[in-house]
């Protein structure tokens, strides 16, 4: 079940599997084989389904379904329900497997390889309220290319586009556009879902709204997303990409908050922290030019922690003059270190697909498929200074293992009916420690210990932080994470997946055996 023997998932009740081998485990493959499908099952060479981007947890399933149709998914779930008096078989949809802690895996269960689902061509509605209908297994990069043919594109993104629609909508999909448009889950009009009862249900704000909002940010607990209708807006051709530096955290965060609260602002606002940085993972200004090369060359950080504000404005080249005026005005309202203004101009696609370039570089050096003990937190604005003071330079003494992103969003603009859990303030910060554990070092344990120190600090200082892409050890912690939303979450689970078949890798519920 743990091919490389390095199981650092720290959940005793789930990770050291206490589930006894299925009493009828030998009969399960033959029972699955009786299903009439458009696709097929594989029962051998399943290691791929026990691996994810995190590369920390490895749970071998008993079978992988390669569905061709939605009905393959529905029939499989119904069959497992039918078998539930004799087996604890569970089902995990696997998008791209870019989870961090085994969330798309199923120990001795069935993994559904969503990428094999037949994807009918995307339907793009180009009218007054534009949208695109896509498969739940579609990659965001493909949606970008297809919608651009109509001069349109989705409005809210993730930093990396080689992720599936179903995978990001099960979490939230947060990036530098979320301050204005909300996360990706707030930019969806309709879903088609196969529930944990095996039913295929269409849902939206108007139809089966409880399921719709439950599934959005629902960590795969209520259904498998097979189609999504995603809101689109006009797309520009180019972007002006700007980075400026600060040595004071409060000046940096004040400017970020000012920008996300202005009506006429940038289209994308993020930021990151640099603590004693060196190395390949940190060539942060490789493609940027200083506005004033002489002044920039004289700038020295004197070993201080630096905070980089990153802003982007989309534009069409015909309107470059207006754009430059707008940018100048916006920059004049900020208090960055004047010599540290760096600019770049790239195409809209190049900007949105920027992390893929890093992927190619890291892959070529064998640094992509390493363990990724990432930690993502949502911190309320009222405590972000306490967080920065307690963590940057104190708990985290350098960030040579990878970037630390930090940026605020207007949560007041987010839909609070989804399953996503956030701190209860109008402005919250996403802080992402995106570490890589390099081969041949004690990096993984060191980073995981450091992550735990950050979590302990947040708890002790009662910052009201919430994990994003959450990972917890037991149901009490999940209950604390959901807080007042826990009851609704549990009710939805019993309505749409009563035997807790779906997404066992999230480790929120344990599958029940039905008593027939
Ligand atoms: P998987 O890992 O395959 O699945 C994730 C979860 O969703 C699992 O529980 C799985 O069972 C379930 N699931 C998968 N498909 C479906 C479906 N069709 N229906 C229902 N449930 C399903 N996230 C952000 O928000 N913002 C970012 O900027 C961002 N950047 C990232 C950059 C990189 C390099 C990586 C690796 C990840 C990044 N992420 C980001 C995190 C990403 O959103 C999650 O890892 C997401 O889960 C990945 O999608 P996936 O398609 O690989 O899903």
């Amino acid at each position: 079940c743990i091919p490389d023997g390095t199981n650092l998932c720290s959940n005793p009740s789930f990770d050291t599997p206490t589930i006894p081998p299925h009493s009828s485990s030998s009969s399960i493959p033959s029972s699955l084989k009786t299903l009439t499908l458009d696709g097929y099952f594989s029962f051998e060479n399943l290691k791929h389904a026990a691996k994810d981007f995190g590369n920390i947890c490895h749970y071998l399933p008993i079978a992988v379904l390669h569905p061709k149709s939605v009905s393959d998914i529905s029939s499989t779930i119904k069959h497992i329900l039918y078998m539930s008096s004799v087996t604890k078989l569970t089902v995990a949809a696997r998008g791209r497997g870019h989870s961090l802690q085994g969330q798309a895996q199923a120990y001795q269960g069935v993994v559904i390889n969503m990428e094999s689902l037949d994807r009918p061509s995307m339907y793009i509605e180009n009218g007054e309220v534009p949208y695109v209908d896509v498969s739940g297994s579609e990659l965001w990069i493909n949606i970008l290319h297809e919608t651009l043919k109509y001069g349109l594109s989705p409005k809210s993104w993730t930093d990396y586009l080689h992720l599936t629609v179903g995978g990001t909508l099960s979490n939230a999909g947060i990036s530098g556009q979320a301050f204005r448009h909300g996360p990706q889950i707030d930019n969806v009009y309709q879903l088609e879902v196969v529930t944990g009862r095996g039913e295929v249900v269409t849902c939206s704000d108007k139809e089966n709204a409880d399921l719709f909002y439950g599934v959005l940010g629902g960590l795969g607990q209520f259904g498998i997303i097979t189609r999504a209708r995603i809101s689109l807006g006009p797309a520009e051709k180019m972007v002006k990409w700007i980075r400026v530096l600060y040595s004071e955290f409060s000046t940096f965060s004040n400017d970020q908050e000012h920008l996300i609260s202005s009506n006429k602002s940038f289209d994308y606002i993020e930021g990151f922290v640099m603590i004693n940085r060196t190395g390949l993972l940190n060539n942060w200004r490789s493609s940027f030019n200083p506005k004033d090369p002489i002044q920039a060359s004289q700038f020295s950080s004197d070993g201080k922690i630096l905070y980089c504000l990153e802003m982007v404005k989309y534009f069409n080249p015909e309107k470059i003059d207006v754009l430059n005026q707008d940018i100048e005005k916006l920059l004049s309202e900020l208090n960055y270190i004047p010599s540290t203004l760096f600019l770049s101009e790239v195409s809209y696609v190049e900007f949105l697909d920027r992390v893929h370039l890093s992927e190619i570089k890291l892959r070529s050096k064998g640094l992509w498929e390493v363990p990724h003990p990432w930690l993502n937190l949502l911190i309320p604005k009222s405590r972000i200074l306490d967080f920065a003071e307690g963590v940057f330079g104190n708990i985290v003494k350098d960030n040579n293992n990878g970037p630390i992103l930090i940026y605020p969003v207007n949560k007041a603009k987010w839909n609070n009916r989804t399953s996503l859990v956030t701190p209860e303030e109008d402005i919250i910060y996403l802080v992402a420690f995106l570490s890589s554990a390099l081969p041949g070092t004690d990096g993984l344990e060191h980073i995981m210990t450091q992550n735990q120190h950050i979590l302990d600090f947040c708890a002790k200082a009662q910052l009201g932080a919430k994990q994003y892409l959450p990972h917890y050890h037991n149901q009490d912690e999940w209950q604390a994470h959901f807080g007042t939303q826990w009851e609704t979450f549990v009710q939805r689970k019993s309505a749409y997946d009563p035997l807790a078949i779906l997404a066992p890798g999230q480790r929120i519920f344990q599958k029940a055996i039905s008593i027939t």
Side-chain angles (χ1 to χ4, degrees):
C1 127
I2 305 161
D4 66 1
T6 54
N7 181 25
L8 286 161
C9 285
S10 47
N11 179 351
S13 62
F14 288 89
D15 296 338
T16 314
T18 53
I19 313 165
H22 305 301
S23 50
S24 56
S25 58
S26 57
S27 65
I28 291 165
S30 48
S31 120
L32 291 172
K33 278 178 198 158
T34 62
L35 286 171
T36 310
L37 301 173
D38 299 314
Y40 65 96
F41 276 103
S42 28
F43 300 97
E44 280 160 23
N45 302 324
L46 308 181
K47 273 191 176 179
H48 177 64
K51 204 172 168 212
D52 57 27
F53 181 76
N55 207 355
I56 294 168
C57 299
H58 304 282
Y59 303 117
L60 209 55
I62 211 163
V64 172
L65 170 66
H66 303 274
K68 270 206 151 313
S69 60
V70 173
S71 94
D72 284 355
I73 298 175
S74 161
S75 309
T76 301
I77 292 180
K78 282 186 174 156
H79 180 77
I80 288 171
L81 280 175
Y82 175 74
M83 298 272 296
S84 64
S85 58
V86 291
T87 157
K88 283 190 169 182
L89 214 57
T90 52
V91 177
R94 185 180 198 276
R96 261 275 155 127
H98 277 82
S99 289
L100 300 166
Q101 308 259 15
Q103 286 91 339
Q105 300 177 28
Y107 171 63
Q108 291 201 354
V110 173
V111 168
I112 303 184
N113 173 26
M114 295 299 290
E115 286 197 292
S116 69
L117 193 63
D118 262 351
R119 285 183 279 220
S121 52
M122 294 177 220
Y123 170 74
I124 294 169
E125 170 60 46
N126 195 1
E128 222 167 90
V129 185
Y131 63 77
V132 59
D133 280 336
V134 295
S135 163
S137 59
E138 195 60 81
L139 297 182
W140 287 97
I141 182 68
N142 297 339
I143 300 175
L144 173 63
H145 286 305
E146 196 59 31
T147 53
L148 278 180
K149 293 177 188 164
Y150 297 76
L152 298 166
S153 83
K155 295 177 263 186
S156 186
W157 296 97
T158 43
D159 291 346
Y160 174 64
L161 306 189
H162 299 248
L163 304 169
T164 66
V165 166
T168 68
L169 294 186
S170 298
N171 286 298
I174 303 174
S175 182
Q177 302 84 4
F179 76 93
R180 176 174 295 149
H181 299 291
Q184 290 180 321
I185 52 173
D186 290 356
N187 290 275
V188 179
Y189 293 135
Q190 192 186 71
L191 296 173
E192 179 190 76
V193 169
V194 183
T195 68
R197 294 177 183 272
E199 291 158 350
V200 183
V201 182
T202 301
C203 57
S204 67
D205 181 48
K206 304 266 172 321
E207 189 185 1
N208 301 308
D210 185 64
L211 178 62
F212 180 66
Y213 287 115
V215 166
L216 293 170
L219 306 174
Q221 295 303 305
F222 312 118
I224 295 178
I225 300 167
T226 45
R227 280 196 82 70
R229 176 167 293 177
I230 293 156
S231 151
L232 301 176
E236 310 278 358
K237 292 196 170 58
M238 298 291 294
V239 315
K240 193 75 117 177
W241 193 355
I242 301 168
R243 287 174 173 177
V244 293
L245 298 180
Y246 298 76
S247 53
E248 288 298 323
F249 182 81
S250 57
T251 319
F252 162 74
S253 61
N254 279 342
D255 277 1
Q256 281 190 318
E257 288 172 23
H258 166 73
L259 286 176
I260 66 156
S261 309
S262 310
N263 279 336
K264 220 174 163 212
S265 188
F266 288 96
D267 295 301
Y268 159 103
I269 296 162
E270 287 200 6
F272 52 89
V273 187
M274 291 181 283
I275 313 172
N276 288 325
R277 280 175 65 157
T278 52
L280 173 76
L281 295 166
N282 300 311
N283 52 351
W284 67 275
R285 42 167 273 206
S286 51
S287 55
F288 284 76
N289 294 314
K291 173 98 188 278
D292 184 332
I294 295 173
Q295 272 197 42
S297 67
Q298 286 162 359
F299 169 74
S300 157
S301 72
D302 294 330
K304 279 193 186 153
I305 299 176
L306 292 176
Y307 305 94
C308 177
L309 170 55
E310 180 175 56
M311 304 150 276
V312 162
K313 195 107 178 130
Y314 306 151
F315 72 100
N316 272 332
E318 308 88 68
K319 300 202 176 145
I320 184 88
D321 290 345
V322 185
L323 171 92
N324 285 336
Q325 282 166 19
D326 289 350
I327 289 182
E328 219 156 283
K329 174 157 187 315
L330 284 165
L331 290 178
S332 71
E333 294 162 9
L334 304 180
N335 298 297
Y336 55 89
I337 303 167
S339 57
T340 64
L341 171 57
F342 296 91
L343 300 140
S344 179
E345 210 174 286
V346 295
S347 75
Y348 185 61
V349 174
E350 254 177 284
F351 168 69
L352 289 175
D353 201 23
R354 61 198 176 279
V355 175
H356 186 51
L357 270 189
S358 307
E359 174 182 358
I360 293 168
K361 274 190 210 157
L362 291 171
R363 272 191 194 282
S364 73
K365 297 193 158 42
L367 295 175
W368 182 258
E369 299 212 359
V370 298
H372 293 102
W374 286 9
L375 177 66
N376 289 271
L377 297 170
L378 298 169
I379 312 281
K381 168 192 141 145
S382 64
R383 304 302 304 277
I384 195 67
L385 291 182
D386 298 329
F387 179 85
E389 203 178 297
V391 174
F392 302 141
N394 284 320
I395 299 175
V396 180
K397 301 239 176 359
D398 70 61
N399 69 307
N400 294 319
N401 292 315
I404 303 174
L405 308 185
I406 178 162
Y407 56 92
V409 292
N410 288 317
K411 217 206 77 191
K413 292 192 178 172
W414 292 21
N415 194 325
N416 60 10
R417 296 174 71 190
T418 66
S419 291
L420 176 67
V421 174
T422 63
E424 287 177 12
E425 275 187 26
D426 282 354
I427 293 183
I428 56 175
Y429 277 76
L430 177 78
V431 189
F433 298 88
L434 307 179
S435 310
S436 299
L438 301 182
T441 67
D442 65 347
L444 180 56
E445 281 183 50
H446 166 73
I447 298 164
M448 288 178 83
T449 306
Q450 182 173 280
N451 287 348
Q452 192 54 50
H453 286 160
I454 297 171
L455 290 170
D456 292 346
F457 169 77
C458 292
K460 198 160 171 228
Q462 300 186 332
L463 297 188
K466 295 286 179 190
Q467 282 191 40
Y468 175 56
L469 308 174
H471 167 69
Y472 291 106
H473 301 149
N474 56 51
Q475 206 174 61
D476 288 346
E477 288 180 348
W478 276 109
Q479 194 166 345
H481 171 77
F482 280 99
T484 53
Q485 285 165 253
W486 175 244
E487 214 173 296
T488 308
F489 202 78
V490 173
Q491 274 165 11
R492 284 175 173 160
K493 187 70 176 173
S494 68
Y496 305 114
D497 181 24
L499 294 186
I501 285 170
L502 296 177
Q506 299 280 3
R507 297 168 219 133
I508 306 173
F509 301 100
Q510 240 175 325
K511 191 190 167 195
I513 290 198
S514 74
I515 317 276
T516 47

